Amino acid sequence: MTDSIQIQLRKGALDLCVLAVLSRGENYGYEIASTLVSAVGMGEGTIYPLMRRMQNEGLVATRLVESSSGPPRKYYRLTPLGRTVFEAYRSDWRTFAAAVDKLLEDV
């Protein structure tokens, strides 16, 4: 049962995690995926559909950069809307996490 809870928590926090990574600066897809794999154990395959959705929603913008070691890399960065959404999500997360922590303290 623990695995199921962990999967649901990761799914619920994935948007926030990606926005947090991009709030620190521009990154390419594999770099974002690697950061999330090491930080929260999120699978690499879930990142690219999410990035496409975020681009369609206007949260991230992209640019292609030629690479000397293979195909061009697509770099992602937050748009002004993406930064606004990140700040709102971060505030909501902190409020929610504090409420859950409070409930857990009382047990």
Side-chain angles (χ1 to χ4, degrees):
M1 172 142 13
T2 304
D3 288 343
S4 176
I5 291 170
Q6 294 233 350
I7 289 168
Q8 292 303 314
L9 289 172
R10 287 180 185 136
K11 280 183 182 179
L14 186 56
D15 284 19
L16 174 60
C17 291
V18 168
L19 293 172
V21 168
L22 291 175
S23 74
R24 296 181 184 108
E26 184 178 69
N27 284 284
Y28 62 97
Y30 181 76
E31 199 172 34
I32 297 166
S34 295
T35 300
L36 294 178
V37 166
S38 65
V40 294
M42 188 52 76
E44 186 179 319
T46 61
I47 299 304
Y48 295 100
L50 173 62
M51 298 310 300
R52 218 174 1 266
R53 179 176 57 77
M54 288 184 156
Q55 186 176 3
N56 290 340
E57 292 174 354
L59 302 178
V60 300
T62 63
R63 70 183 179 100
L64 284 177
V65 175
E66 292 297 324
S67 172
S68 60
S69 61
R73 291 181 174 166
K74 185 183 278 191
Y75 280 81
Y76 297 89
R77 69 183 175 286
L78 289 182
T79 62
L81 174 61
R83 180 143 318 266
T84 299
V85 168
F86 167 63
E87 295 297 336
Y89 282 8
R90 182 168 61 172
S91 175
D92 290 346
W93 175 264
R94 288 182 172 156
T95 300
F96 177 73
V100 171
D101 285 343
K102 178 71 174 140
L103 287 170
L104 294 174
E105 286 174 7
D106 295 340
V107 175

XYZ file of all heavy atoms in Angstrom:
834
model
N 0.819 -1.196 0.000
C 0.000 0.000 0.000
C 0.863 1.260 0.000
O 0.485 2.254 -0.579
C -0.944 -0.016 1.203
C -1.654 1.292 1.325
S -3.336 1.500 1.812
C -3.987 0.091 2.458
N 2.023 1.217 0.615
C 2.898 2.378 0.672
C 3.281 2.854 -0.718
O 3.340 4.045 -0.978
C 4.165 2.062 1.495
O 3.761 1.624 2.783
C 5.045 3.275 1.637
N 3.554 1.902 -1.636
C 3.908 2.273 -3.003
C 2.808 3.076 -3.661
O 3.065 4.054 -4.358
C 4.211 1.033 -3.847
C 5.527 0.376 -3.464
O 6.342 1.032 -2.786
O 5.734 -0.791 -3.838
N 1.561 2.683 -3.450
C 0.421 3.385 -4.039
C 0.339 4.827 -3.535
O 0.092 5.748 -4.307
C -0.867 2.643 -3.709
O -1.977 3.360 -4.194
N 0.550 5.017 -2.266
C 0.514 6.367 -1.690
C 1.645 7.208 -2.263
O 1.451 8.360 -2.646
C 0.599 6.302 -0.144
C -0.687 5.705 0.415
C 0.857 7.679 0.441
C -0.622 5.371 1.879
N 2.827 6.628 -2.357
C 3.978 7.359 -2.900
C 3.724 7.777 -4.350
O 4.060 8.884 -4.743
C 5.237 6.510 -2.805
C 5.637 6.263 -1.377
C 7.069 6.633 -1.110
O 7.828 6.911 -2.013
N 7.415 6.643 0.149
N 3.144 6.892 -5.138
C 2.847 7.209 -6.539
C 1.869 8.374 -6.614
O 2.063 9.310 -7.393
C 2.294 5.968 -7.272
C 3.414 4.943 -7.469
C 1.687 6.353 -8.617
C 2.933 3.575 -7.914
N 0.832 8.341 -5.805
C -0.163 9.414 -5.818
C 0.442 10.739 -5.360
O 0.144 11.795 -5.926
C -1.371 9.039 -4.949
C -2.194 7.901 -5.505
C -2.707 8.188 -6.906
O -3.224 9.265 -7.192
N -2.535 7.238 -7.805
N 1.287 10.700 -4.336
C 1.942 11.927 -3.871
C 2.831 12.510 -4.964
O 2.835 13.723 -5.201
C 2.760 11.653 -2.613
C 1.960 11.386 -1.346
C 2.876 10.926 -0.222
C 1.179 12.619 -0.925
N 3.579 11.653 -5.644
C 4.450 12.124 -6.726
C 3.637 12.747 -7.856
O 3.989 13.810 -8.362
C 5.305 10.985 -7.257
C 6.403 10.583 -6.314
C 7.211 9.453 -6.890
N 8.197 9.003 -5.930
C 8.458 7.731 -5.683
N 7.829 6.781 -6.334
N 9.366 7.416 -4.797
N 2.567 12.066 -8.252
C 1.724 12.603 -9.331
C 1.181 13.975 -8.955
O 1.152 14.884 -9.774
C 0.561 11.654 -9.622
C 0.905 10.482 -10.467
C -0.360 9.670 -10.743
C -0.080 8.439 -11.548
N -1.308 7.668 -11.772
N 0.735 14.107 -7.720
C 0.152 15.357 -7.279
C 1.142 16.503 -7.196
O 0.771 17.664 -7.340
N 2.401 16.168 -6.981
C 3.419 17.213 -6.797
C 4.292 17.430 -8.032
O 5.134 18.328 -8.036
C 4.296 16.856 -5.603
N 4.075 16.661 -9.082
C 4.977 16.710 -10.233
C 5.014 18.083 -10.896
O 6.083 18.605 -11.198
C 4.605 15.631 -11.252
C 5.557 15.488 -12.426
C 6.982 15.235 -11.952
C 5.092 14.370 -13.342
N 3.857 18.682 -11.142
C 3.841 20.020 -11.757
C 4.660 21.002 -10.923
O 5.489 21.745 -11.459
C 2.412 20.549 -11.897
C 1.652 19.915 -13.033
O 2.044 18.837 -13.515
O 0.635 20.503 -13.452
N 4.422 21.000 -9.628
C 5.150 21.901 -8.731
C 6.650 21.636 -8.795
O 7.448 22.572 -8.855
C 4.640 21.758 -7.298
C 5.394 22.539 -6.224
C 5.362 24.033 -6.497
C 4.826 22.228 -4.851
N 7.042 20.375 -8.812
C 8.467 20.033 -8.854
C 9.128 20.527 -10.141
O 10.224 21.087 -10.102
C 8.657 18.524 -8.705
S 8.237 17.893 -7.066
N 8.466 20.337 -11.274
C 9.020 20.805 -12.549
C 9.129 22.327 -12.543
O 10.153 22.892 -12.932
C 8.172 20.322 -13.743
C 8.570 21.030 -15.033
C 8.302 18.819 -13.903
N 8.091 23.000 -12.090
C 8.130 24.463 -12.032
C 9.241 24.931 -11.095
O 9.925 25.922 -11.378
C 6.773 25.021 -11.599
C 5.631 24.810 -12.595
C 4.302 25.234 -11.978
C 5.875 25.537 -13.905
N 9.449 24.218 -9.987
C 10.519 24.588 -9.053
C 11.892 24.452 -9.706
O 12.748 25.335 -9.554
C 10.439 23.723 -7.789
N 12.096 23.363 -10.442
C 13.380 23.183 -11.135
C 13.597 24.325 -12.122
O 14.680 24.921 -12.177
C 13.420 21.815 -11.854
C 14.607 21.732 -12.804
C 13.467 20.679 -10.832
N 12.568 24.657 -12.884
C 12.708 25.719 -13.887
C 12.775 27.111 -13.268
O 13.282 28.037 -13.905
C 11.579 25.634 -14.910
C 11.642 24.410 -15.820
C 10.417 24.346 -16.721
C 12.921 24.406 -16.634
N 12.300 27.268 -12.040
C 12.386 28.576 -11.390
C 13.838 28.958 -11.118
O 14.160 30.128 -10.955
C 11.584 28.596 -10.088
O 12.255 27.865 -9.075
N 14.715 27.964 -11.102
C 16.144 28.196 -10.864
C 16.891 28.538 -12.142
O 18.045 28.936 -12.092
C 16.765 26.962 -10.221
C 16.178 26.675 -8.857
C 16.826 25.444 -8.233
N 16.155 25.166 -6.984
C 15.334 24.145 -6.789
N 15.096 23.287 -7.760
N 14.766 23.965 -5.618
N 16.227 28.316 -13.281
C 16.862 28.635 -14.557
C 16.480 27.655 -15.641
O 15.874 26.615 -15.391
N 16.857 28.003 -16.837
C 16.561 27.212 -18.023
C 17.245 25.840 -17.950
O 18.378 25.731 -17.490
C 17.066 27.998 -19.231
C 16.764 27.385 -20.557
C 17.258 28.268 -21.687
O 18.493 28.390 -21.839
O 16.416 28.816 -22.405
N 16.531 24.796 -18.390
C 17.068 23.436 -18.402
C 16.536 22.690 -19.615
O 15.461 23.016 -20.122
C 16.607 22.652 -17.165
C 17.342 23.027 -15.918
O 18.478 22.621 -15.741
N 16.708 23.787 -15.052
N 17.276 21.672 -20.055
C 16.750 20.834 -21.118
C 16.077 19.612 -20.507
O 16.249 19.307 -19.329
C 17.818 20.477 -22.160
C 18.997 19.680 -21.682
C 19.023 18.305 -21.842
C 20.090 20.303 -21.110
C 20.110 17.561 -21.431
C 21.189 19.569 -20.695
C 21.195 18.196 -20.857
O 22.270 17.470 -20.444
N 15.251 18.931 -21.314
C 14.391 17.873 -20.805
C 15.094 16.807 -19.997
O 14.643 16.444 -18.908
N 16.199 16.274 -20.521
C 16.892 15.210 -19.806
C 17.416 15.696 -18.456
O 17.388 14.969 -17.463
C 18.049 14.654 -20.648
C 18.778 13.540 -19.962
C 18.218 12.264 -19.901
C 20.000 13.764 -19.336
C 18.878 11.231 -19.240
C 20.668 12.739 -18.682
C 20.103 11.480 -18.638
O 20.756 10.468 -17.978
N 17.858 16.936 -18.408
C 18.355 17.529 -17.158
C 17.215 17.639 -16.129
O 17.401 17.334 -14.948
C 18.917 18.909 -17.487
C 19.843 19.507 -16.505
C 20.484 20.781 -17.054
O 19.847 21.530 -17.815
O 21.645 20.997 -16.703
N 16.048 18.053 -16.580
C 14.878 18.133 -15.694
C 14.531 16.744 -15.176
O 14.333 16.539 -13.972
C 13.673 18.758 -16.425
C 13.967 20.200 -16.833
C 12.414 18.685 -15.564
C 12.982 20.781 -17.831
N 14.476 15.777 -16.097
C 14.133 14.409 -15.718
C 15.143 13.848 -14.718
O 14.753 13.240 -13.713
C 14.059 13.532 -16.962
N 16.419 14.047 -14.965
C 17.457 13.538 -14.061
C 17.338 14.144 -12.673
O 17.482 13.456 -11.663
C 18.845 13.833 -14.624
O 19.054 13.133 -15.815
N 17.062 15.435 -12.627
C 16.898 16.105 -11.329
C 15.727 15.511 -10.565
O 15.829 15.230 -9.365
C 16.679 17.620 -11.538
O 17.818 18.163 -12.202
C 16.458 18.337 -10.212
N 14.615 15.275 -11.251
C 13.432 14.737 -10.582
C 13.606 13.272 -10.191
O 13.100 12.848 -9.150
C 12.195 14.919 -11.457
C 11.791 16.376 -11.668
C 10.583 16.464 -12.573
C 11.518 17.072 -10.347
N 14.319 12.507 -11.006
C 14.585 11.112 -10.659
C 15.390 11.054 -9.369
O 15.061 10.303 -8.447
C 15.313 10.377 -11.805
C 15.902 9.051 -11.330
C 14.369 10.141 -12.975
N 16.433 11.871 -9.265
C 17.274 11.822 -8.065
C 16.603 12.467 -6.856
O 16.818 12.039 -5.724
C 18.643 12.453 -8.328
O 18.516 13.818 -8.600
N 15.778 13.478 -7.075
C 15.164 14.188 -5.941
C 13.937 13.474 -5.390
O 13.785 13.355 -4.172
C 14.793 15.609 -6.353
N 13.045 13.019 -6.271
C 11.777 12.445 -5.798
C 11.455 11.093 -6.421
O 10.349 10.581 -6.246
C 10.592 13.420 -6.019
C 10.726 14.650 -5.163
C 10.422 13.785 -7.484
N 12.385 10.523 -7.171
C 12.163 9.206 -7.747
C 11.133 9.170 -8.858
O 10.529 8.131 -9.106
N 10.926 10.285 -9.524
C 9.933 10.343 -10.595
C 10.520 9.762 -11.869
O 11.665 10.043 -12.211
C 9.517 11.798 -10.827
C 8.357 11.951 -11.779
S 6.933 10.952 -11.362
C 6.255 11.840 -10.008
N 9.746 8.974 -12.575
C 10.202 8.338 -13.801
C 10.443 9.326 -14.928
O 9.706 10.294 -15.088
N 11.469 9.051 -15.717
C 11.867 9.929 -16.818
C 10.774 10.046 -17.880
O 10.573 11.106 -18.462
C 13.149 9.392 -17.439
C 13.751 10.270 -18.486
C 15.034 9.682 -19.036
O 15.838 9.142 -18.257
O 15.219 9.775 -20.256
N 10.044 8.975 -18.133
C 9.031 8.966 -19.188
C 7.847 9.885 -18.941
O 7.125 10.234 -19.873
N 7.634 10.273 -17.701
C 6.487 11.131 -17.386
C 6.768 12.600 -17.667
O 5.836 13.405 -17.733
C 6.087 10.988 -15.904
O 7.190 11.383 -15.095
C 5.683 9.567 -15.566
N 8.026 12.954 -17.843
C 8.399 14.361 -17.958
C 7.977 14.970 -19.300
O 7.421 16.057 -19.343
C 9.924 14.537 -17.750
C 10.326 14.059 -16.359
C 10.343 15.988 -17.982
C 9.594 14.713 -15.222
N 8.224 14.263 -20.390
C 8.021 14.873 -21.708
C 6.549 15.189 -22.021
O 6.255 16.289 -22.506
C 8.693 14.028 -22.792
C 10.197 14.030 -22.599
C 10.835 12.959 -21.993
C 10.955 15.133 -22.950
C 12.208 12.973 -21.771
C 12.329 15.166 -22.732
C 12.947 14.082 -22.137
O 14.300 14.112 -21.916
N 5.601 14.296 -21.715
C 4.197 14.689 -21.902
C 3.814 15.884 -21.026
O 3.065 16.772 -21.446
C 3.406 13.441 -21.507
C 4.367 12.313 -21.621
C 5.727 12.891 -21.338
N 4.348 15.908 -19.816
C 4.081 17.024 -18.910
C 4.645 18.329 -19.476
O 3.978 19.368 -19.446
C 4.680 16.744 -17.533
C 4.621 17.889 -16.520
C 3.176 18.258 -16.210
C 5.341 17.499 -15.258
N 5.847 18.287 -20.015
C 6.468 19.486 -20.574
C 5.658 19.995 -21.774
O 5.484 21.195 -21.951
C 7.920 19.213 -20.983
C 8.829 18.798 -19.833
S 8.753 19.873 -18.378
C 9.265 21.431 -19.042
N 5.170 19.069 -22.589
C 4.334 19.457 -23.739
C 3.053 20.152 -23.260
O 2.644 21.170 -23.805
C 4.006 18.204 -24.562
C 3.991 18.423 -26.027
C 3.820 17.180 -26.891
N 3.653 15.884 -26.256
C 4.644 15.031 -25.998
N 5.884 15.332 -26.313
N 4.389 13.861 -25.431
N 2.428 19.577 -22.228
C 1.209 20.186 -21.683
C 1.498 21.568 -21.111
O 0.755 22.526 -21.361
C 0.600 19.289 -20.600
C -0.675 19.903 -19.992
C -1.341 18.991 -18.982
N -0.521 18.581 -17.871
C -0.216 19.345 -16.821
N -0.616 20.597 -16.747
N 0.517 18.864 -15.832
N 2.594 21.695 -20.370
C 2.945 22.992 -19.792
C 3.237 24.026 -20.880
O 2.895 25.198 -20.721
C 4.143 22.854 -18.852
C 3.829 22.169 -17.563
S 5.272 22.157 -16.483
C 4.477 21.995 -14.900
N 3.838 23.576 -21.959
C 4.086 24.495 -23.081
C 2.756 24.932 -23.702
O 2.550 26.123 -23.971
C 4.979 23.825 -24.120
C 5.383 24.757 -25.238
C 6.341 24.101 -26.218
O 6.677 22.923 -26.105
N 6.776 24.878 -27.188
N 1.840 23.993 -23.904
C 0.527 24.319 -24.470
C -0.261 25.268 -23.574
O -1.044 26.078 -24.062
C -0.281 23.044 -24.725
C 0.272 22.210 -25.855
O 1.013 22.700 -26.708
N -0.068 20.934 -25.856
N -0.063 25.162 -22.271
C -0.754 26.027 -21.314
C -0.061 27.377 -21.139
O -0.547 28.231 -20.408
C -0.856 25.326 -19.957
C -1.775 24.125 -19.973
C -1.763 23.332 -18.679
O -0.948 23.625 -17.771
O -2.570 22.391 -18.571
N 1.088 27.567 -21.787
C 1.797 28.838 -21.702
C 2.639 29.011 -20.454
O 3.063 30.124 -20.141
N 2.915 27.906 -19.755
C 3.707 27.989 -18.522
C 5.205 27.968 -18.791
O 5.988 28.506 -18.013
C 3.348 26.841 -17.568
C 1.881 26.747 -17.155
C 1.662 25.538 -16.264
C 1.431 28.023 -16.472
N 5.593 27.311 -19.893
C 6.998 27.239 -20.272
C 7.157 27.609 -21.734
O 6.246 27.448 -22.539
C 7.606 25.831 -20.026
C 7.526 25.451 -18.560
C 6.967 24.774 -20.897
N 8.321 28.129 -22.048
C 8.703 28.416 -23.430
C 9.929 27.562 -23.734
O 10.628 27.112 -22.821
C 9.026 29.897 -23.591
N 10.182 27.328 -25.005
C 11.297 26.473 -25.390
C 12.178 27.158 -26.430
O 11.763 28.116 -27.083
C 10.801 25.145 -25.996
O 10.075 25.423 -27.193
C 9.930 24.381 -25.024
N 13.378 26.614 -26.534
C 14.281 26.993 -27.622
C 15.176 25.802 -27.903
O 15.510 25.030 -27.006
C 15.096 28.232 -27.290
C 16.141 28.064 -26.228
C 16.867 29.382 -25.917
N 17.848 29.171 -24.874
C 19.155 29.016 -25.089
N 19.641 29.069 -26.310
N 19.992 28.828 -24.082
N 15.528 25.622 -29.178
C 16.414 24.542 -29.584
C 17.843 25.047 -29.649
O 18.093 26.140 -30.154
C 16.015 23.994 -30.954
C 14.790 23.093 -30.998
C 14.479 22.692 -32.438
C 14.970 21.861 -30.142
N 18.763 24.243 -29.135
C 20.177 24.585 -29.141
C 20.923 23.415 -29.763
O 20.760 22.260 -29.337
C 20.703 24.852 -27.710
C 22.195 25.096 -27.717
C 19.964 26.027 -27.087
N 21.732 23.705 -30.778
C 22.542 22.662 -31.415
C 23.484 22.049 -30.384
O 23.984 22.729 -29.498
C 23.350 23.241 -32.574
C 22.491 23.684 -33.750
C 21.723 22.544 -34.398
O 22.253 21.412 -34.481
O 20.567 22.767 -34.794
N 23.705 20.744 -30.515
C 24.580 20.027 -29.603
C 25.697 19.372 -30.394
O 25.455 18.802 -31.455
C 23.779 18.967 -28.845
O 24.630 18.139 -28.099
N 26.905 19.422 -29.876
C 28.037 18.787 -30.543
C 28.029 17.274 -30.338
O 28.740 16.544 -31.019
C 29.352 19.374 -30.034
O 29.455 19.150 -28.647
N 27.213 16.806 -29.396
C 27.198 15.382 -29.071
C 25.874 14.707 -29.421
O 25.455 13.778 -28.756
C 27.496 15.187 -27.592
O 26.511 15.825 -26.809
N 25.196 15.184 -30.464
C 23.938 14.548 -30.853
C 22.952 15.546 -31.407
O 23.328 16.632 -31.868
N 21.667 15.196 -31.330
C 20.631 16.086 -31.878
C 20.498 17.363 -31.046
O 20.978 17.429 -29.907
C 19.363 15.241 -31.786
C 19.644 14.216 -30.747
C 21.123 13.976 -30.770
N 19.832 18.370 -31.612
C 19.631 19.607 -30.845
C 18.876 19.323 -29.543
O 18.066 18.404 -29.478
C 18.791 20.485 -31.767
C 18.909 19.883 -33.115
C 19.212 18.433 -32.920
N 19.164 20.111 -28.536
C 18.477 19.984 -27.252
C 17.401 21.049 -27.152
O 17.623 22.201 -27.499
C 19.456 20.162 -26.095
C 20.436 19.038 -25.975
C 21.359 19.264 -24.808
N 22.206 18.091 -24.616
C 23.268 18.075 -23.864
N 23.631 19.158 -23.201
N 23.981 16.982 -23.735
N 16.257 20.635 -26.613
C 15.175 21.579 -26.370
C 15.296 22.069 -24.932
O 15.212 21.286 -23.984
C 13.811 20.927 -26.588
C 12.655 21.924 -26.450
C 11.299 21.250 -26.592
C 10.951 21.078 -28.042
N 9.536 20.671 -28.211
N 15.520 23.357 -24.782
C 15.620 23.974 -23.457
C 14.281 24.588 -23.071
O 13.606 25.191 -23.902
C 16.709 25.049 -23.447
C 18.094 24.484 -23.317
C 18.765 23.968 -24.419
C 18.726 24.450 -22.081
C 20.043 23.433 -24.299
C 20.006 23.922 -21.949
C 20.652 23.424 -23.058
O 21.904 22.901 -22.923
N 13.923 24.428 -21.807
C 12.667 24.947 -21.265
C 12.967 26.046 -20.262
O 13.936 25.964 -19.512
C 11.901 23.830 -20.544
C 11.490 22.698 -21.444
C 12.328 21.616 -21.662
C 10.249 22.705 -22.065
C 11.956 20.565 -22.491
C 9.862 21.655 -22.894
C 10.720 20.595 -23.094
O 10.344 19.561 -23.914
N 12.103 27.047 -20.245
C 12.204 28.111 -19.243
C 10.790 28.550 -18.874
O 9.851 28.397 -19.661
C 13.023 29.279 -19.758
C 12.369 30.068 -20.859
C 13.266 31.182 -21.405
N 12.650 31.841 -22.525
C 12.527 31.358 -23.752
N 12.979 30.160 -24.032
N 11.941 32.038 -24.703
N 10.663 29.087 -17.678
C 9.352 29.587 -17.241
C 8.996 30.847 -18.005
O 9.844 31.703 -18.250
C 9.365 29.915 -15.750
C 9.420 28.752 -14.773
C 9.368 29.283 -13.340
C 8.296 27.768 -15.006
N 7.727 30.962 -18.344
C 7.199 32.212 -18.874
C 6.762 33.052 -17.673
O 6.723 32.552 -16.545
C 5.971 31.939 -19.771
O 4.951 31.330 -18.955
C 6.318 31.040 -20.953
N 6.403 34.308 -17.894
C 5.864 35.085 -16.765
C 4.641 34.398 -16.134
O 4.517 34.360 -14.905
C 5.507 36.426 -17.408
C 6.509 36.565 -18.532
C 6.642 35.155 -19.076
N 3.772 33.826 -16.967
C 2.618 33.090 -16.426
C 3.099 31.882 -15.624
O 2.575 31.603 -14.537
C 1.691 32.633 -17.555
C 0.520 31.740 -17.128
C -0.391 32.476 -16.144
C -0.249 31.265 -18.359
N 4.099 31.185 -16.125
C 4.646 30.034 -15.414
C 5.201 30.413 -14.055
O 5.021 29.698 -13.066
N 5.864 31.553 -13.973
C 6.409 32.022 -12.695
C 5.265 32.351 -11.729
O 5.320 32.003 -10.545
C 7.292 33.253 -12.897
C 7.859 33.728 -11.585
C 9.252 34.256 -11.612
N 10.235 33.567 -12.381
C 11.064 32.633 -11.897
N 10.991 32.275 -10.635
N 11.979 32.080 -12.656
N 4.216 32.985 -12.219
C 3.053 33.306 -11.381
C 2.389 32.037 -10.864
O 2.052 31.933 -9.676
C 2.042 34.147 -12.183
O 2.675 35.365 -12.582
C 0.801 34.463 -11.376
N 2.208 31.062 -11.752
C 1.601 29.791 -11.354
C 2.494 29.073 -10.343
O 2.010 28.523 -9.352
C 1.313 28.916 -12.591
C 0.960 27.492 -12.202
C 0.200 29.541 -13.421
N 3.809 29.084 -10.568
C 4.731 28.459 -9.622
C 4.594 29.083 -8.235
O 4.511 28.363 -7.227
C 6.182 28.572 -10.109
C 7.182 28.229 -9.044
C 7.218 26.948 -8.495
C 8.064 29.175 -8.569
C 8.133 26.620 -7.496
C 8.981 28.864 -7.580
C 9.014 27.587 -7.039
N 4.564 30.393 -8.162
C 4.446 31.066 -6.858
C 3.142 30.678 -6.161
O 3.127 30.439 -4.945
C 4.539 32.585 -7.027
C 5.889 33.074 -7.521
C 7.044 32.783 -6.575
O 6.823 32.617 -5.364
O 8.190 32.710 -7.067
N 2.051 30.586 -6.921
C 0.758 30.197 -6.338
C 0.801 28.745 -5.856
O 0.351 28.434 -4.745
C -0.361 30.395 -7.358
N 1.338 27.838 -6.691
C 1.447 26.425 -6.311
C 2.324 26.272 -5.068
O 2.020 25.478 -4.179
C 2.062 25.601 -7.436
C 1.155 25.245 -8.584
C -0.120 25.769 -8.731
C 1.604 24.372 -9.570
C -0.912 25.443 -9.807
C 0.813 24.025 -10.648
C -0.443 24.562 -10.764
O -1.225 24.224 -11.835
N 3.433 27.003 -5.033
C 4.345 26.894 -3.891
C 3.652 27.334 -2.603
O 3.765 26.678 -1.568
C 5.606 27.717 -4.136
C 6.602 27.608 -3.002
C 7.944 28.174 -3.337
N 7.861 29.600 -3.643
C 8.930 30.365 -3.827
N 10.139 29.846 -3.753
N 8.797 31.632 -4.088
N 2.916 28.419 -2.676
C 2.175 28.898 -1.507
C 1.126 27.877 -1.072
O 0.997 27.565 0.117
C 1.519 30.242 -1.833
O 0.713 30.665 -0.768
N 0.381 27.342 -2.041
C -0.635 26.330 -1.733
C 0.005 25.087 -1.120
O -0.525 24.511 -0.169
C -1.411 25.933 -2.993
C -2.331 27.039 -3.492
O -2.582 28.013 -2.747
O -2.790 26.925 -4.647
N 1.148 24.661 -1.673
C 1.830 23.478 -1.159
C 2.246 23.689 0.292
O 2.061 22.814 1.134
C 3.057 23.145 -2.008
C 3.825 22.003 -1.417
C 4.906 22.068 -0.595
C 3.528 20.616 -1.563
N 5.308 20.806 -0.238
C 4.476 19.901 -0.812
C 2.545 19.918 -2.270
C 4.467 18.519 -0.747
C 2.556 18.528 -2.205
C 3.502 17.853 -1.445
N 2.828 24.842 0.569
C 3.296 25.104 1.939
C 2.141 25.112 2.930
O 2.260 24.585 4.043
C 4.079 26.407 1.980
C 5.427 26.246 1.312
C 6.249 27.492 1.367
N 7.600 27.200 0.884
C 8.406 28.096 0.390
N 8.032 29.363 0.325
N 9.604 27.759 -0.042
N 1.014 25.691 2.538
C -0.166 25.704 3.404
C -0.665 24.284 3.638
O -0.943 23.883 4.773
C -1.273 26.572 2.781
O -0.780 27.904 2.621
C -2.520 26.580 3.628
N -0.754 23.512 2.557
C -1.227 22.137 2.644
C -0.282 21.278 3.481
O -0.714 20.544 4.371
C -1.384 21.551 1.235
C -1.794 20.111 1.217
C -3.089 19.747 1.541
C -0.881 19.121 0.890
C -3.472 18.404 1.533
C -1.250 17.788 0.884
C -2.549 17.425 1.203
N 1.016 21.367 3.206
C 2.000 20.563 3.933
C 1.999 20.905 5.426
O 2.111 20.008 6.273
C 3.392 20.768 3.340
N 1.840 22.181 5.748
C 1.792 22.585 7.158
C 0.554 21.992 7.839
O 0.631 21.541 8.997
C 1.792 24.105 7.274
N -0.561 21.970 7.126
C -1.792 21.407 7.696
C -1.639 19.898 7.923
O -2.038 19.371 8.967
C -2.984 21.693 6.784
N -1.039 19.197 6.975
C -0.818 17.755 7.119
C 0.162 17.511 8.264
O -0.058 16.625 9.102
C -0.317 17.136 5.801
C 0.135 15.684 6.010
C -1.411 17.204 4.739
N 1.233 18.286 8.327
C 2.199 18.131 9.417
C 1.536 18.330 10.773
O 1.807 17.610 11.735
C 3.367 19.106 9.249
C 4.334 18.672 8.163
O 4.310 17.500 7.750
O 5.119 19.543 7.712
N 0.647 19.296 10.852
C -0.071 19.567 12.101
C -0.933 18.355 12.499
O -0.947 17.943 13.666
C -0.940 20.818 11.946
C -1.758 21.171 13.147
C -0.893 21.692 14.271
C -1.770 22.181 15.396
N -1.222 21.830 16.700
N -1.611 17.780 11.520
C -2.420 16.597 11.811
C -1.557 15.427 12.279
O -1.923 14.690 13.185
C -3.206 16.167 10.572
C -4.396 17.045 10.181
C -4.918 16.638 8.834
C -5.491 16.962 11.242
N -0.405 15.275 11.674
C 0.484 14.181 12.027
C 1.109 14.374 13.413
O 1.390 13.392 14.109
C 1.582 14.012 10.980
C 1.093 13.565 9.599
C 2.240 13.562 8.609
C 0.410 12.212 9.664
N 1.315 15.606 13.823
C 1.852 15.878 15.158
C 0.875 15.451 16.239
O 1.285 15.029 17.312
C 2.114 17.374 15.331
C 3.325 17.892 14.587
C 3.450 19.398 14.679
O 2.666 20.040 15.428
O 4.301 19.956 13.994
N -0.392 15.575 15.979
C -1.411 15.299 16.988
C -1.688 13.806 17.169
O -2.468 13.439 18.019
C -2.720 16.017 16.624
C -2.569 17.522 16.659
O -1.617 18.020 17.307
O -3.378 18.220 16.038
N -1.026 12.960 16.395
C -1.276 11.518 16.480
C -0.346 10.904 17.502
O 0.793 11.178 17.610
C -1.095 10.850 15.105
C -1.223 9.344 15.213
C -2.114 11.404 14.133
